[in-house]
């Protein structure tokens, strides 16, 4: 089977251009601005300012330029389709504590009946940032089609709950349900005045 044209099209699509550079930087800037707005609303000022700064490191930035797709989805997904994995994502998740994938570690006492890596419960301030991140990602990619229901719908479609600590999964889903049913204002009030103050959930 001749694949010359397919290879040529793929090579053209993955070429870094001024358009892709400008587009990816705009997407990152818009995403960070939304996270900053949401984090500030719940009192997480430092996290709002430092959120996703690793996206400006060469590993993440160059792949972001190369696999940019008009801001319709994460370039990491295109990179995975092409290579079978994403260098940018593996770099990113290891440096950003608001991702549940960061919170995995080896078991102290190996048990042959269990997988040797276990999910660790996330500190609340990072779960709160993860909520802000998920809201901002939905808003950034869906743009005018975004509603308060999208972050919960996205979460329910995926398998994240199976890969994170059960308590973290309960807390994340609970907050996404508040957003879904009551909106941003009530969610931010809950996070700021109840969740981050350590009350039982």
């Amino acid at each position: 089977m001749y694949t010359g044209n397919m290879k040529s099209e793929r090579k053209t699509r993955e070429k870094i251009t001024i358009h892709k550079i400008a587009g990816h930087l705009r997407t990152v800037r818009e995403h960070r601005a939304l996270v900053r707005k949401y984090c500030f609303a719940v009192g997480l000022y430092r996290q709002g300012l430092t959120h996703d700064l690793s996206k400006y490191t060469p590993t993440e930035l160059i792949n972001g330029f190369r696999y940019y797709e008009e801001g319709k989805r994460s370039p990491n997904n295109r990179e995975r389709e092409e290579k079978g994995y994403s260098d940018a994502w593996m770099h990113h998740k290891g440096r950003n504590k608001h991702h549940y994938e960061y919170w995995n570690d080896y078991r102290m006492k190996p048990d042959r009946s269990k997988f040797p890596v276990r999910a660790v419960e996330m500190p609340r301030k990072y779960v709160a940032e993860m909520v802000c991140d998920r809201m901002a990602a939905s808003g950034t990619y869906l743009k005018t089609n975004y509603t308060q229901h999208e972050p919960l719908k996205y979460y329910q479609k995926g398998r994240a709950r199976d890969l994170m600590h059960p308590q973290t999964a309960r807390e994340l889903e609970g907050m996404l349900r508040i957003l879904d049913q009551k909106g941003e204002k009530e969610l931010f009030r809950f996070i700021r005045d109840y969740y981050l103050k350590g009350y039982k959930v």
Side-chain angles (χ1 to χ4, degrees):
M1 179 179 174
Y2 179 68
T3 60
N5 285 341
M6 290 171 59
K7 288 180 179 178
S8 176
E9 287 174 16
R10 190 169 63 221
K11 196 170 184 179
T12 300
R13 187 168 60 231
E14 292 166 5
K15 184 178 179 183
I16 296 174
T17 65
I18 294 297
H19 170 75
K20 291 167 82 172
I21 290 171
H24 179 64
L25 288 174
R26 182 172 58 251
T27 300
V28 171
R29 186 172 62 249
E30 288 172 359
H31 173 73
R32 292 191 68 244
L34 276 177
V35 174
R36 187 164 57 248
K37 174 185 171 183
Y38 299 150
C39 280
F40 283 13
V42 300
L44 295 175
Y45 301 106
R46 184 175 183 278
Q47 286 168 251
L49 291 170
T50 60
H51 180 85
D52 275 358
L53 285 177
S54 71
K55 285 188 176 179
Y56 294 110
T57 60
T59 299
E60 296 181 38
L61 199 58
I62 292 169
N63 283 328
F65 295 155
R66 179 170 287 120
Y67 297 105
Y68 174 72
E69 292 187 306
E70 303 304 322
K72 294 177 181 176
R73 64 173 182 160
S74 169
N76 298 343
N77 289 330
R78 179 72 196 102
E79 185 184 6
R80 282 189 196 96
E81 290 169 355
E82 177 60 30
K83 297 162 57 177
Y85 63 93
S86 170
D87 278 319
W89 170 245
M90 289 192 287
H91 184 274
H92 187 78
K93 71 183 175 71
R95 288 158 179 81
N96 293 276
K97 295 180 180 181
H98 62 275
H99 289 293
Y100 68 87
E101 295 91 341
Y102 177 98
W103 299 92
N104 286 283
D105 202 355
Y106 288 107
R107 296 178 185 277
M108 285 295 291
K109 297 180 180 178
D111 182 339
R112 289 187 180 273
S113 67
K114 296 179 180 176
F115 192 67
V117 174
R118 68 184 181 91
V120 177
E121 184 177 351
M122 291 175 64
R124 287 189 177 194
K125 67 179 182 177
Y126 296 120
V127 180
E129 186 181 353
M130 176 164 56
V131 172
C132 296
D133 183 50
R134 284 169 176 264
M135 291 169 62
S138 292
T140 301
Y141 292 123
L142 294 174
K143 298 185 174 30
T144 57
N145 293 321
Y146 172 77
T147 71
Q148 68 193 46
H149 311 295
E150 298 305 325
L152 179 61
K153 284 164 59 176
Y154 183 82
Y155 173 77
Q156 290 175 325
K157 281 194 303 186
R159 293 194 56 221
R161 68 171 68 83
D162 301 326
L163 302 172
M164 64 178 76
H165 189 279
Q167 181 60 28
T168 297
R170 280 192 294 272
E171 292 172 8
L172 172 63
E173 184 168 348
M175 286 186 277
L176 294 179
R177 287 190 181 281
I178 292 173
L179 173 66
D180 178 66
Q181 296 166 13
K182 299 182 178 180
E184 286 182 9
K185 186 175 180 180
E186 185 61 27
L187 171 65
F188 295 153
R189 186 202 64 76
F190 172 80
I191 293 174
R192 182 184 62 246
D193 299 336
Y194 192 87
Y195 182 71
L196 290 176
K197 290 186 176 178
Y199 292 106
K200 187 176 180 180
V201 292

